[in-house]
Amino acid sequence: MKITVVGAGAVGASCAEYIAIKDFASEVVLLDIKEGFAEGKAMDLMQTATLNGFDTTITGTTGDYSKTKDSQVAVITSGIPRKPGMTREELIGINAGIVKDVASELIKHSPEVTIIVVSNPMDTMTYLAHKELGLPKHRIIGMGGALDSARFKYRLSEALGCPSSDVDGMVIGGHSDTGMLPLTRLATRNSVRVTEFLSEDRLAQVAEDTKVGGATLTKLLGTSAWYAPGAAVSSLVQSIACDQKKMFPCSTLLDGEYGLKDLCIGVPVIIGKNGIEKVVEIELNEQEKAKLKESAEAVKKTNGLLE
Ligand SMILES: NC(=O)c1ccc[n+]([C@@H]2O[C@H](COP(=O)([O-])OP(=O)(O)OC[C@H]3O[C@@H](n4cnc5c(N)ncnc54)[C@H](O)[C@@H]3O)[C@@H](O)[C@H]2O)c1
């Protein structure tokens, strides 16, 4: 299984590293436009192979898409990240052009590829990739919810004072500070609803901390985070590569599911060798439905900026 990661920056390199450490892919190609950068990152990562015990080959290239030929999965992380105080939506001007160019280059060399879009504003970039490429909808996946859910579980474990492995939960909706919808009602600790353990106020705080999870890190780091984003992408790639059929909330082109149409937004999906194999429609209560609708309206507004 050959995997391409476009953008050898913070998220792209972290993603390549986790894919290699999980050791399920034969080859990862890192591509960047900055001269020598992807080659350097690839060489540095390859020098961890004996230390971390993986056999995946990582190569780097400056802009040569012929090296990405016949990739089964390609991840788009190219584009600028947020600086403190910025919203993801503010990145649209620069990132739309980059995502458009990168997506069409990828498809020229790997017509069968499944694309995972990471660049922000991610829901709109995923929609743009659909509009630009016209691929079957299961082959374009936006990564946001897998990361937001990991952040949600971290915040829940903090509130519960328990290991994250005890906790399960999911964030759906738009990948933005205001659009995320952490499903506190459905989150569990070892199959017991967390509502049994945490007060309404504490859960509201968990949800709020989750929603601003990216902004909190951007403030601390001076740029957006990369370890958890890289790990989240690698989990999606692995689910495709190993046909695991895991369920993640991902941004997908909806056509009536959840009463929404003609936009990409985070909902639970099954990820397997064909990309998005199924959209899972869960029962939401009236309040959750209203929040998802509001989130969808905000995503559509950002999509409107593409015109
Ligand atoms: N979806 C998510 O959950 C999520 C999480 C974190 C970051 N992000 C987004 O991912 C993107 C990357 O973040 P980062 O922290 O890795 O940024 P970064 O600046 O560290 O890396 C971006 C890389 O893209 C490269 N690049 C720019 N234009 C390119 C092009 N046309 N072709 C190939 N490479 C190109 C740059 O040279 C740079 O190395 C940002 O848009 C960020 O907002 C999304």
Side-chain angles (χ1 to χ4, degrees):
M1 160 82 59
K2 177 171 170 180
I3 292 147
T4 288
V5 179
V6 181
V11 176
S14 164
C15 166
E17 182 177 16
Y18 284 118
I19 291 171
I21 286 175
K22 293 179 183 180
D23 211 16
F24 59 83
S26 49
E27 189 183 354
V28 175
V29 178
L30 264 178
L31 183 148
D32 204 286
I33 41 162
K34 223 187 286 173
E35 191 66 42
F37 193 58
E39 289 87 336
K41 287 277 181 109
M43 194 185 289
D44 192 11
L45 284 170
M46 278 307 284
Q47 290 169 3
T48 70
T50 53
L51 301 164
N52 285 331
F54 63 78
D55 296 320
T56 303
T57 304
I58 309 168
T59 55
T61 170
T62 306
D64 181 358
Y65 280 88
S66 69
K67 303 262 172 67
T68 70
K69 190 175 158 37
D70 294 333
S71 294
Q72 273 134 313
V73 183
V75 180
I76 303 181
T77 75
S78 44
I80 52 164
R82 317 196 247 181
K83 293 279 170 239
M86 280 175 95
T87 65
R88 294 174 178 91
E89 289 70 22
E90 285 173 71
L91 305 172
I92 191 169
I94 295 178
N95 287 356
I98 294 175
V99 169
K100 220 188 221 184
D101 292 350
V102 166
S104 19
E105 282 300 323
L106 283 170
I107 213 76
K108 270 188 222 159
H109 295 85
S110 305
E112 301 302 321
V113 74
T114 294
I115 293 180
I116 300 178
V117 179
V118 182
S119 311
N120 275 317
M122 182 279 296
D123 296 298
T124 295
M125 293 302 106
T126 308
Y127 183 74
L128 173 67
H130 275 291
K131 293 289 154 199
E132 198 58 25
L133 302 176
L135 290 182
K137 62 182 196 166
H138 62 92
R139 283 175 49 201
I140 300 180
I141 307 168
M143 195 297 290
L147 168 66
D148 302 332
S149 300
R151 288 178 171 157
F152 181 38
K153 287 180 257 192
Y154 162 75
R155 289 299 185 188
L156 279 170
S157 70
E158 192 180 52
L160 289 161
C162 73
S164 306
S165 57
D166 246 18
V167 173
D168 206 1
M170 192 162 56
V171 177
I172 61 169
H175 180 60
S176 69
D177 297 359
T178 48
M180 280 176 218
L181 174 48
L183 293 172
T184 47
R185 182 180 62 90
L186 300 175
T188 60
R189 177 179 183 181
N190 276 348
S191 80
V192 181
R193 294 261 167 117
V194 296
T195 46
E196 301 265 331
F197 305 110
L198 298 172
S199 68
E200 218 171 283
D201 282 357
R202 188 67 185 94
L203 269 175
Q205 188 60 51
V206 164
E208 203 40 48
D209 290 344
T210 302
K211 287 160 74 173
V212 297
T216 303
L217 285 161
T218 303
K219 201 169 161 205
L220 291 168
L221 297 167
T223 184
S224 66
W226 55 90
Y227 295 118
V233 179
S234 76
S235 297
L236 299 193
V237 174
Q238 186 173 18
S239 199
I240 300 169
C242 305
D243 196 24
Q244 288 175 320
K245 304 197 188 300
K246 284 198 174 197
M247 183 166 81
F248 296 94
C250 289
S251 192
T252 183
L253 188 63
L254 293 180
D255 187 21
E257 300 93 338
Y258 290 91
L260 302 171
K261 236 181 161 68
D262 193 33
L263 85 163
C264 295
I265 194 164
V267 294
V269 298
I270 305 298
I271 303 276
K273 65 176 187 311
N274 300 310
I276 293 181
E277 301 199 342
K278 187 178 180 315
V279 173
V280 181
E281 288 202 73
I282 55 170
E283 197 64 51
L284 298 177
N285 66 24
E286 290 310 313
Q287 201 188 10
E288 291 157 352
K289 276 185 204 160
K291 280 195 179 156
L292 184 61
K293 189 162 170 254
E294 199 183 301
S295 180
E297 277 158 15
V299 170
K300 281 209 166 181
K301 203 165 154 207
T302 310
N303 291 351
L305 302 174
L306 292 171
E307 284 148 17

